[in-house]
Amino acid sequence: MSVELDVFVGNTTIMDEEVYQFWLDGYTVNDAVKVRMEGGVLEECEASAEVLRSDTMDQYRTFQMCERLLHSPAKLANQLLFQIPPHRQAMLIERYYTFDGVFVREVLGKKLSKGTKKDLDDVSAKTGVTLKSCRRQFDNFKRVFKVVEELKGPLVENIRQHFLLSDKLARDYAAIVFFANNRFETGKKKLHYLTFQDFAFCAGQLISNWTVGALDNMVEDMDVDLEKEFLQDLKELKILITDKDLLDQHKRHECGPLVIDCLIFWCARLSGGRPKHLMRWKPTSRISPEALSTLLPN
């Protein structure tokens, strides 16, 4: 059976976004062809299954050749082998570095080493993300970490400039780098209900307020290291958690004055006193009269 095709030659690289997503998700050519056929692409294009398979294989080869450029996104705009419009370049980069929330939740806080990579088979089976996709995402995490590890200045901005990512995705990668650098234990059972975005929010707050970079934007390292004196203070406070007697003393010390202030303020209100009558009164706790009024019933 002969097949007639219209052929044209051009210098713009044609890329199908749907096939690109199949490639990123780790689908084989056969699996991608099957999904495309089930989606009715043969009827739309009036093509045979063999032509569809050939097109899919050609797209996969193109993506594989582009992959080395995606490892250093800035090179994609300067190369001459593939003529790709700027908006398509942005799409290729953004999708290549996009990751699955269930996958990153499993590796968050772990060392980005060969040992962790060897366990990706188990992670793939647990999350349902294909092994090929797991490896791509893990390699992306490791690549970003290595690039920004020795850079000065704001972490999010460094990621955005070197990998040409959107602000949202750059902030997510900053959270991954932060947890990998500080090795937070995010896999504890009592933390399982938290999603990656929950941790990403916490990382953003810590980076903005608790790191060395938050105090000095020209530190010699990336701004994800927690301030040493602050960490030492936290260690000294840990005894309050382990010693119940000390914790109870701390509660009495902090809450006692607050209870007294509340009673004084409430008594003044019940006796017909108005806030202006309490202007000379200074609370024994560290809370203002205005804040106290919000704690008491009307």
Side-chain angles (χ1 to χ4, degrees):
M1 177 181 177
S2 60
V3 179
E4 292 185 3
L5 296 174
D6 294 327
V7 179
F8 68 95
V9 178
N11 65 347
T12 301
T13 304
I14 305 299
M15 295 181 173
D16 187 300
E17 292 188 25
E18 182 184 40
V19 179
Y20 182 53
Q21 192 60 52
F22 291 148
W23 178 74
L24 291 175
D25 290 340
Y27 282 49
T28 64
V29 172
N30 289 337
D31 289 339
V33 170
K34 182 180 179 181
V35 176
R36 296 184 76 187
M37 290 178 64
E38 291 173 350
V41 69
L42 291 182
E43 291 75 12
E44 293 178 11
C45 302
E46 298 181 355
S48 66
E50 188 59 33
V51 171
L52 181 63
R53 176 179 173 79
S54 178
D55 174 69
T56 305
M57 289 181 65
D58 183 61
Q59 295 268 347
Y60 268 49
R61 282 193 293 266
T62 301
F63 300 143
Q64 288 166 0
M65 289 188 288
C66 286
E67 188 168 19
R68 62 181 179 82
L69 299 172
L70 291 169
H71 291 171
S72 301
K75 294 181 179 179
L76 190 62
N78 300 322
Q79 54 81 36
L80 301 176
L81 182 60
F82 303 101
Q83 300 301 309
I84 306 173
H87 73 280
R88 282 281 179 175
Q89 292 181 20
M91 181 275 294
L92 292 174
I93 295 168
E94 190 77 3
R95 288 199 183 184
Y96 188 78
Y97 283 91
T98 297
F99 51 82
D100 294 291
V102 290
F103 169 73
V104 69
R105 183 65 184 84
E106 292 297 319
V107 300
L108 190 67
K110 295 182 179 179
K111 189 175 182 180
L112 302 175
S113 63
K114 292 181 179 179
T116 304
K117 191 172 183 179
K118 289 180 180 178
D119 297 332
L120 292 184
D121 299 62
D122 296 333
V123 175
S124 174
K126 182 178 180 180
T127 61
V129 180
T130 64
L131 181 58
K132 184 177 180 181
S133 182
C134 286
R135 287 172 175 167
R136 172 183 61 81
Q137 295 177 53
F138 182 83
D139 288 341
N140 286 345
F141 300 159
K142 190 173 182 178
R143 185 180 307 110
V144 173
F145 184 91
K146 284 187 174 181
V147 169
V148 301
E149 188 175 14
E150 302 300 330
L151 295 178
K152 296 179 182 179
L155 178 60
V156 175
E157 187 61 27
N158 286 337
I159 294 174
R160 189 164 47 223
Q161 288 184 359
H162 283 78
F163 291 92
L164 308 181
L165 303 179
S166 64
D167 182 73
K168 174 65 171 63
L169 192 54
R171 291 185 182 279
D172 285 344
Y173 268 93
I176 294 170
V177 171
F178 178 80
F179 281 108
N181 181 72
N182 290 288
R183 306 290 298 279
F184 280 89
E185 295 181 22
T186 63
K188 291 184 176 181
K189 188 175 180 179
K190 59 185 177 182
L191 300 177
H192 283 181
Y193 74 97
L194 295 173
T195 66
F196 167 72
Q197 289 303 325
D198 294 328
F199 283 108
F201 174 80
C202 293
Q205 296 300 310
L206 291 170
I207 292 172
S208 298
N209 302 292
W210 287 14
T211 61
V212 176
L215 304 176
D216 181 4
N217 60 9
M218 289 307 293
V219 290
E220 295 298 322
D221 205 347
M222 58 180 176
D223 63 348
V224 295
D225 294 319
L226 295 172
E227 208 273 328
K228 291 182 179 179
E229 292 184 5
F230 174 70
L231 284 178
Q232 185 59 42
D233 291 340
L234 288 180
K235 288 181 180 179
E236 293 175 358
L237 286 174
K238 190 176 181 180
I239 192 173
L240 290 177
I241 302 175
T242 57
D243 192 317
K244 187 178 182 300
D245 292 336
L246 282 177
L247 182 60
D248 291 339
Q249 290 180 28
H250 176 72
K251 287 180 179 178
R252 287 195 295 270
H253 180 270
E254 293 297 320
C255 296
L258 177 60
V259 172
I260 294 172
D261 291 335
C262 286
L263 289 172
I264 294 173
F265 198 87
W266 200 8
C267 289
R269 179 183 290 177
L270 291 175
S271 63
R274 290 176 293 179
K276 66 178 183 180
H277 294 152
L278 299 171
M279 291 299 290
R280 294 182 181 179
W281 166 65
K282 294 183 179 180
T284 55
S285 64
R286 282 173 268 176
I287 189 168
S288 66
E290 292 77 11
L292 276 172
S293 65
T294 64
L295 298 175
L296 300 173
N298 293 325

